[in-house]
């Protein structure tokens, strides 16, 4: 008998989930946020459907505030793999001048991410959307199903979730309803990195330490990725050796000082870290039940 | 808080890649027995709680905590706002941590009776269950219920964690009495191992470190046991191969692959296979993966295989080989754990989803409902939320299945309500249960079941049909007998005619039903 390691078990489970979606839903899409979880998700999808091409497009909801290196990486990977990539920007939000600096993190996320995502799902009539979220990231995620049913208005009802025994997923839904599907639910941050190393999966170079121009603001190191970031009185840009543990909109993503320039060094650093990966995310700390509320409103 | 700076535990949460094994477990027990506290404690002591989360915990403990000024570890795991407000666990929460030897996935399940379905969900994937008991209270109804559900879903290993030992003065006799009672309770539940451990989750006694208060206890502490317990593979050696086809991979005319996760056994290139339910046979040509072809694949792997000859296979079919116990049929008997607010009724319509197969399903017989608090069987007409029942299902197309005791994938299913689409039941195929029931029950019960088989269960459509025809029969018989009796001018003749009409007509109807049984629901193939 072949004894599978825990990573092989996780891989098989994720592939099973992806195939289940493709076999039972009409128009799936994969949310591609360019981070390490998305990289792993994409890699698993290539495996799940080989030798066929990806049977669904990738969707990136672009807030227009992502790191430039992320956008370059996104376009390069889509070209190399020959996958269909949809980029959606909430134009109304852009016209209204929503931005993370003056609108605040909360409004920016609501309009450019949550609203943008809903617009894209509605426009293309996707009935299932893969996301790379993991249950170990955040408390309300820990209780979310792998197949998470959303109403026609994209709302999540945490108190009325379908039981999900074994690997059996109830994929029936009414017209207009859709699923958010999380194939990486049972992975941890460590599993993701171990898998990236094991499978040689390309990730955005921002995860590795390099000298970058950063500004210290409210105790967080923010990288000045372009000229839209205006310095406040007393602030100055310094070149520091930094890397990122998670990637999002650059004004909302804290850098950490690090010398880890290789994957091995990053793994070592993470193994001895005492803070959680979302700690650098400004949006999570808007109140204890903040993520649960955002999710109910349609955030991933 | 000083433990945070302790270099021993630093970073234990994160594993080195490679050969670690995975243990999936669930924690259950009554309300306030301290399940969430126990898990929070394990996460904390294994270093899986990061500093920023501890900061948030400190904040939350002051707001919601039930432990005075100390950290309330339960708040680490009770995630939903409603749960934090009520101080209870409503939904299954999954937690991840690791020690130097193993990776753990913990399903933290609610204690309240109204959330039994969530416990069953957690148990479905677990190798081991930690059953918590409050040392002050001993075994409760919930302890019995949880032991029963764990046994029903075939969780093979039990840890009986006798918690709050600090509140009973670390008394050895109390621990031993509880252990003894549990051994008695668990007789016949078929657990492979039962390991009792006296603990105090709040103070961390016998969780990771050995307690200094209970020198009399010589067994393993909790984490040590979880790291070393041999749970054994679900599959048995020599079991036949089974692959439920999940998706047919047809990128072009030259390639036709069958993708799925292997449910049992193993397969090699060149092996002969049969396709269920249509019975065709072929030979494995290739085992295709993104990383190159394989020669051998086994249970748990998600593969794509191609066959040497052209056969007609679609999703829901099962590719088998060797001495498989998987079989096909239109009727199956099973235990169901009811998960819907709408009770099971015989005339409701369901969809069954078993492995990758799907069909319309009718519950054609409700044999008994098991009182999960007393393990007693009762004959009733409907199954409420969280009820457990033994039923017979009839499906409208052949479905491939196995007994749950032999294979979790081919023996576990869900029933979906066709109108609301909600998951109405978690089901476990059990072919022997009906025979056991017949053997175990006396003649009175068997007669009762026969009669109910004819007249339908109270409240069911069958019963309503029976009553309607009974009333109609009576009316006709009275009219007929009255008319003829009046014509003959004799009351006895009328009475005889009345009885004769009633008996003959009922007989004819019963015979007709037997000979020309209508195939109810079979025509309805939509809605899938």
């Amino acid at each position: 008998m072949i004894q599978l390691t825990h990573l092989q078990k996780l891989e098989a489970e994720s592939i099973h989930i992806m195939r289940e979606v493709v076999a039972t839903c009409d128009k799936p899409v994969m949310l591609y946020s360019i981070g390490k979880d998305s990289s792993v998700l994409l890699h698993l999808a290539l495996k799940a459907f080989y030798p066929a091409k990806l049977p669904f497009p990738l969707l990136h909801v672009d807030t227009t505030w992502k790191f430039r290196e992320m956008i370059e990486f996104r376009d390069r990977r889509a070209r190399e793999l020959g996958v269909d990539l949809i980029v959606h920007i909430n134009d109304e939000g852009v016209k209204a001048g929503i931005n993370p600096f003056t609108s605040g993190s909360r409004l920016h996320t609501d309009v450019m991410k949550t609203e943008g995502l809903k617009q894209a799902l509605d426009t293309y009539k996707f009935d299932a959307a893969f996301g790379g979220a993991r249950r170990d990231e955040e408390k309300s995620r820990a209780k979310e199903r792998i197949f998470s049913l959303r109403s026609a208005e994209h709302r999540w009802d945490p108190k009325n979730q379908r039981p999900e025994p074994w690997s059996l997923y109830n994929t029936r839904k009414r017209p207009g309803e859709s699923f958010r599907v999380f194939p990486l639910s049972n992975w941890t941050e460590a599993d993701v990195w171990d898998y990236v190393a094991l499978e040689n999966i390309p990730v955005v170079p921002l995860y590795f330490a390099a000298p970058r121009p950063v500004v210290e603001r409210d105790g967080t190191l923010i990288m000045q990725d372009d000229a839209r970031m205006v310095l406040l009185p007393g602030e100055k840009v310094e070149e520091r050796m930094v890397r990122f543990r998670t990637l999002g909109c650059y004004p909302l993503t804290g850098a950490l000082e690090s010398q880890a320039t290789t994957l091995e060094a990053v793994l070592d650093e993470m193994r001895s870290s005492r803070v959680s990966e979302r700690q650098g995310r400004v949006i999570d700390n808007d109140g204890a039940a903040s993520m649960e509320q955002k999710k109910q409103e349609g955030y991933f | 808080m000083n433990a945070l700076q302790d270099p021993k535990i630093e970073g234990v949460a994160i594993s080195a890649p490679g050969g670690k094994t995975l243990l999936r477990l669930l924690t259950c027990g009554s309300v306030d027995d301290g399940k969430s506290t126990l898990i929070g404690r394990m996460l904390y002591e294994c270093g899986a709680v990061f500093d920023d989360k501890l900061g948030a915990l400190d904040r939350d403990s002051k707001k919601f905590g039930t432990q005075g000024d100390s950290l309330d570890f339960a708040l680490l795991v009770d995630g939903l706002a409603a749960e934090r407000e009520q101080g209870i666990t409503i939904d299954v929460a999954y937690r991840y941590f690791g020690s130097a030897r193993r990776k753990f996935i913990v399903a933290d399940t609610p204690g309240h009776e109204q959330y039994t379905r969530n416990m069953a969900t957690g148990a479905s994937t677990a190798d081991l269950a930690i059953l918590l008991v409050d040392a002050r209270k001993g075994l409760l109804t919930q302890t019995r219920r949880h032991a029963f559900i764990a046994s029903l879903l075939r969780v093979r290993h039990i840890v009986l964690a006798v918690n709050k030992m600090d509140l009973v003065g670390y008394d050895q006799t109390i621990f031993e009495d509880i252990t003894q009672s549990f051994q008695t309770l668990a007789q016949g539940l078929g657990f492979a191992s039962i390991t009792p451990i006296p603990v105090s989750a709040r103070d961390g006694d016998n969780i990771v470190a050995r307690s200094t208060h209970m020198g009399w206890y010589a067994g393993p502490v909790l984490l040590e046991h979880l790291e070393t317990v041999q749970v054994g593979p679900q599959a048995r050696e020599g079991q036949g191969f089974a692959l439920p086809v999940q998706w047919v991979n047809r990128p072009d005319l030259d390639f036709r692959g069958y993708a799925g996760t292997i449910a049992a056994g193993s397969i090699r290139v060149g092996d002969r296979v049969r396709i269920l339910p249509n019975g065709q046979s072929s030979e494995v040509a290739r085992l295709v993966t993104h990383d190159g072809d394989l020669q051998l694949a086994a249970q748990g792997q998600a593969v794509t295989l191609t066959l040497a000859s052209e056969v007609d296979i679609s999703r829901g079919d099962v590719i088998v080989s060797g001495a498989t116990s998987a079989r096909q049929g239109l009727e199956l008997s099973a235990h169901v754990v009811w998960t819907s607010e709408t009770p099971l009724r015989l005339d409701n319509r369901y969809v069954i989803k078993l492995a990758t197969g799907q069909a319309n399903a009718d519950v054609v017989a409700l044999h008994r409902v098991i009182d999960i608090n007393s393990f007693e069987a009762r004959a009733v007409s409907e199954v409420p939320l969280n009820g457990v029942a033994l039923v017979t299902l009839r499906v409208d197309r052949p479905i491939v299945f196995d007994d749950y005791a032999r294979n979790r994938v081919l023996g576990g299913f869900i029933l979906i309500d066709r109108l609301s689409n909600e998951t109405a039941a978690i089901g476990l195929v059990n072919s022997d249960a009906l025979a056991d029931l017949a053997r175990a029950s006396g003649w009175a019960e068997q007669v009762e079941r026969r009669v109910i088989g004819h007249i339908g269960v109270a409240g069911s459509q069958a019963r309503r049909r029976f009553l309607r025809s009974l009333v109609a029969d009576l009316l006709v018989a009275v009219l007929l007998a009255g008319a003829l009796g009046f014509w003959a001018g004799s009351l006895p003749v009328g009475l005889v005619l009345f009885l004769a009409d009633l008996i003959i007509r009922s007989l004819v109807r019963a015979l007709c039903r037997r000979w020309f049984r209508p195939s109810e629901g079979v025509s309805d193939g939509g809605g899938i």
Side-chain angles (χ1 to χ4, degrees):
Chain A
M1 215 72 208
I2 299 173
Q3 187 74 45
L4 302 181
T5 66
H6 87 273
L7 278 181
Q8 287 172 317
K9 282 187 183 173
L10 290 173
E11 180 189 74
E13 180 187 66
S14 303
I15 288 176
H16 180 85
I17 293 163
M18 290 180 175
R19 288 171 173 171
E20 199 64 12
V21 169
V22 168
T24 59
C25 295
D26 293 328
K27 204 175 174 195
V29 66
M30 178 171 280
L31 269 290
Y32 182 68
S33 68
I34 322 173
K36 62 185 189 307
D37 302 304
S38 281
S39 290
V40 166
L41 203 60
L42 177 57
H43 184 80
L44 290 165
L46 294 170
K47 285 191 165 196
F49 304 104
Y50 178 85
K53 289 191 158 197
L54 275 199
F56 42 74
L58 305 185
L59 169 65
H60 179 226
V61 178
D62 192 347
T63 60
T64 72
W65 290 91
K66 300 291 167 190
F67 290 91
R68 282 174 302 164
E69 268 187 272
M70 290 172 73
I71 302 299
E72 282 161 27
F73 180 86
R74 174 194 77 189
D75 294 340
R76 193 179 71 242
R77 285 299 284 160
R79 220 173 28 248
E80 284 166 1
L81 298 169
V83 294
D84 185 9
L85 171 73
I86 299 169
V87 176
H88 180 84
I89 294 173
N90 181 355
D91 289 327
E92 288 163 34
V94 174
K95 274 189 212 124
I98 302 293
N99 73 79
F101 291 119
T102 53
S103 316
S105 69
R106 174 127 206 191
L107 185 67
H108 169 75
T109 310
D110 280 351
V111 174
M112 299 308 291
K113 270 178 108 167
T114 310
E115 279 309 311
L117 173 64
K118 290 196 234 175
Q119 283 171 359
L121 295 178
D122 289 342
T123 308
Y124 297 95
K125 306 235 178 312
F126 293 121
D127 66 342
F130 292 107
R134 308 186 319 266
R135 285 177 178 151
D136 80 325
E137 275 179 77
E138 206 275 334
K139 272 189 275 205
S140 67
R141 290 227 199 265
K143 308 227 164 178
E144 183 151 24
R145 300 295 183 262
I146 289 174
F147 278 68
S148 179
L149 184 66
R150 302 301 167 100
S151 69
E153 294 76 39
H154 302 280
R155 289 188 70 90
W156 179 54
D157 182 1
K159 286 188 200 156
N160 197 14
Q161 299 193 83
R162 295 170 174 178
E164 222 164 52
W166 305 292
S167 49
L168 273 179
Y169 307 105
N170 175 352
T171 55
R172 287 170 69 97
K173 56 184 171 350
R174 295 195 175 95
E177 290 178 338
S178 62
F179 287 108
R180 306 282 171 90
V181 185
F182 305 105
L184 303 183
S185 286
N186 287 324
W187 295 57
T188 63
E189 185 190 14
D191 297 330
V192 167
W193 278 116
D194 288 344
Y195 192 70
V196 164
L198 197 69
E199 297 276 309
N200 247 323
I201 300 170
V203 291
V204 184
L206 290 162
Y207 286 114
F208 305 108
R212 296 187 171 100
V214 289
V215 176
E216 194 171 334
R217 185 173 286 182
D218 300 332
T220 307
L221 289 179
I222 302 293
M223 175 170 157
Q224 193 187 38
D225 198 43
D226 56 40
R228 290 179 294 176
M229 181 174 180
V230 181
L231 295 188
L232 302 177
E235 284 182 342
K236 61 178 196 309
V237 178
E238 294 169 88
E239 187 110 317
R240 290 208 215 168
M241 198 66 177
V242 292
R243 67 179 193 88
F244 296 87
R245 199 160 162 195
T246 66
L247 294 176
C249 296
Y250 83 80
L252 301 176
T253 309
L256 53 106
E257 290 195 84
S258 164
Q259 301 297 319
T261 55
T262 63
L263 191 52
E264 290 68 38
V266 167
L267 285 170
D268 280 344
E269 205 175 86
M270 182 193 49
R271 286 194 189 106
S272 55
S273 168
R274 290 302 322 156
V275 289
S276 74
E277 67 177 315
R278 293 197 73 90
Q279 192 244 4
R281 290 292 184 98
V282 181
I283 68 162
D284 287 0
N285 300 324
D286 307 344
S290 147
M291 174 74 90
E292 184 180 346
Q293 202 176 342
K294 280 199 202 62
K295 286 168 67 62
Q296 287 187 35
E297 289 159 7
Y299 182 70
F300 234 77
Chain B
M1 293 293 283
N2 282 335
L4 286 178
Q5 277 79 49
D6 184 345
K8 274 202 318 290
I9 62 163
E10 198 174 76
V12 186
I14 314 280
S15 79
K20 272 193 196 180
T21 54
L22 178 68
L23 182 75
R24 299 187 72 131
L25 58 133
L26 88 149
T27 51
C28 47
S30 183
V31 188
D32 295 334
D33 280 354
K35 287 179 307 298
S36 298
T37 309
L38 180 88
I39 296 183
R41 170 62 74 173
M42 278 199 292
L43 292 174
Y44 173 71
E45 298 220 9
C46 285
V49 183
F50 292 116
D51 290 358
D52 53 316
K53 296 273 158 93
L54 269 178
L57 175 65
D58 196 29
R59 208 166 57 224
D60 289 351
S61 292
K62 294 198 171 86
K63 187 167 167 192
F64 303 109
T66 55
Q67 301 296 329
D69 281 340
S70 348
L71 291 179
D72 186 350
F73 288 107
L75 293 174
L76 280 174
V77 289
D78 286 337
L80 300 175
E83 295 178 323
R84 297 157 79 81
E85 283 157 20
Q86 296 173 41
I88 56 164
T89 306
I90 293 173
D91 211 333
V92 191
Y94 293 91
R95 297 290 153 192
Y96 307 83
F97 69 101
S99 70
R101 297 195 223 175
R102 259 190 178 156
K103 279 264 184 180
F104 302 100
I105 299 183
V106 185
D108 182 20
T109 63
H112 292 249
E113 183 160 7
Q114 66 260 43
Y115 305 121
T116 297
R117 58 178 166 175
N118 297 336
M119 187 204 147
T121 304
S124 71
T125 50
D127 307 305
L128 175 146
I130 300 177
L131 193 52
L132 264 97
V133 174
D134 185 330
R136 294 169 304 171
K137 299 180 192 156
L139 303 188
L140 300 172
T141 323
Q142 283 92 331
T143 320
R144 299 175 72 87
R145 187 170 72 236
H146 290 159
F148 174 72
I149 300 277
S151 149
L152 187 70
L153 283 125
R154 296 191 71 78
V155 179
R156 312 284 291 119
H157 302 270
I158 297 286
V159 170
L160 183 74
V162 180
N163 191 23
K164 308 198 182 179
M165 287 301 289
D166 51 318
L167 300 180
V168 296
Y170 308 101
D171 187 337
Q172 183 178 5
T173 0
I174 290 182
F175 171 71
E176 279 169 1
D177 285 350
I178 292 175
T179 304
Q180 199 56 49
S181 324
F182 187 78
Q183 297 282 4
T184 315
L185 178 155
Q187 268 168 18
L189 292 180
F191 298 122
S193 78
I194 296 172
T195 310
I197 305 176
V199 300
S200 165
R202 203 189 59 183
D203 303 334
D205 288 59
N206 284 344
I207 305 290
V208 173
R210 187 159 288 277
S211 169
T212 51
H213 301 104
M214 291 176 274
W216 46 265
Y217 175 71
V221 302
L222 183 59
L223 185 70
E224 178 189 353
H225 178 67
L226 297 181
E227 279 183 319
T228 52
V229 62
Q230 288 298 319
V231 291
Q234 281 288 319
R236 304 164 192 183
E237 292 286 334
Q239 192 184 23
F241 167 82
L243 175 81
V245 175
Q246 195 180 10
W247 183 68
V248 181
N249 190 344
R250 283 200 79 181
D252 53 56
L253 291 173
D254 300 328
F255 188 90
R256 190 179 179 92
Y258 305 101
T261 307
I262 300 176
S266 59
I267 193 82
R268 281 174 194 282
V269 171
D271 281 355
R272 295 291 302 169
V273 291
R274 280 174 299 131
I275 319 302
L276 297 178
N278 71 18
Q280 289 173 290
S281 58
S282 186
E283 195 172 282
V284 176
R286 292 174 61 196
L287 291 164
V288 183
T289 80
H290 186 261
D291 310 313
D293 281 14
L294 302 175
Q295 285 304 307
L296 168 74
Q299 184 175 357
Q301 285 182 285
V303 295
T304 301
L305 61 80
T306 66
L307 298 178
S309 56
E310 190 96 346
V311 275
D312 177 27
I313 301 180
S314 46
R315 175 177 162 88
D317 291 349
V318 180
I319 302 177
V320 298
S321 173
T324 181
S325 48
R327 58 200 179 277
Q328 53 174 297
L330 286 168
E331 241 181 39
L332 47 102
S333 53
H335 281 115
V336 289
V337 179
W338 208 249
T339 58
S340 162
E341 305 269 351
T342 318
L344 182 167
R345 291 205 188 92
L346 288 180
D347 39 0
N348 287 1
R349 319 300 301 280
Y350 303 100
V351 168
I352 185 173
K353 185 166 181 190
L354 190 155
T356 60
Q358 194 167 294
N360 287 321
D362 288 336
V363 181
V364 290
L366 173 50
H367 303 289
R368 60 168 174 176
V369 170
I370 301 152
D371 186 316
I372 51 176
N373 295 326
S374 65
F375 309 166
E376 279 164 9
R378 284 180 284 123
V380 290
S381 60
E382 57 175 45
V383 183
L385 175 65
N386 296 317
V388 178
L390 178 64
V391 300
T392 298
L393 296 170
R394 187 159 48 206
V395 294
D396 68 344
R397 66 175 75 162
I399 197 159
V400 183
F401 61 90
D402 199 349
D403 277 309
Y404 183 75
R406 271 196 288 268
N407 191 289
R408 278 187 180 187
V409 177
L410 289 169
F413 63 86
I414 52 174
L415 289 182
I416 301 167
D417 186 304
R418 287 190 53 192
L419 297 179
S420 66
N421 284 341
E422 67 178 326
T423 303
I426 297 174
L428 312 105
V429 178
N430 190 331
S431 307
D432 303 327
L434 273 187
D436 291 348
L437 183 65
R439 255 199 311 282
S441 52
W443 66 270
E445 237 179 285
Q446 294 196 27
V447 167
E448 186 191 341
R449 230 183 349 264
R450 282 278 164 80
V451 170
I452 284 183
H454 275 284
I455 69 171
V457 178
S460 71
Q461 206 160 36
R463 170 67 68 87
R464 281 198 291 278
R465 253 198 318 266
F466 171 79
L467 289 175
R468 257 200 310 274
S469 63
L470 186 68
V471 169
D473 284 0
L474 279 171
L475 265 173
V476 172
V478 165
L479 281 174
L480 194 74
L484 289 176
F486 181 75
W487 179 69
S490 145
L491 188 67
V493 171
L495 220 66
V496 168
L497 278 168
F498 167 79
L499 283 174
D501 174 76
L502 203 63
I503 290 167
I504 292 170
R505 210 135 36 107
S506 312
L507 262 178
V508 169
R509 187 175 296 115
L511 286 175
C512 285
R513 253 212 308 269
R514 177 143 300 191
W515 290 335
F516 311 108
R517 177 164 248 163
S519 47
E520 284 170 60
V522 177
S523 58
D524 188 353
I528 293 197

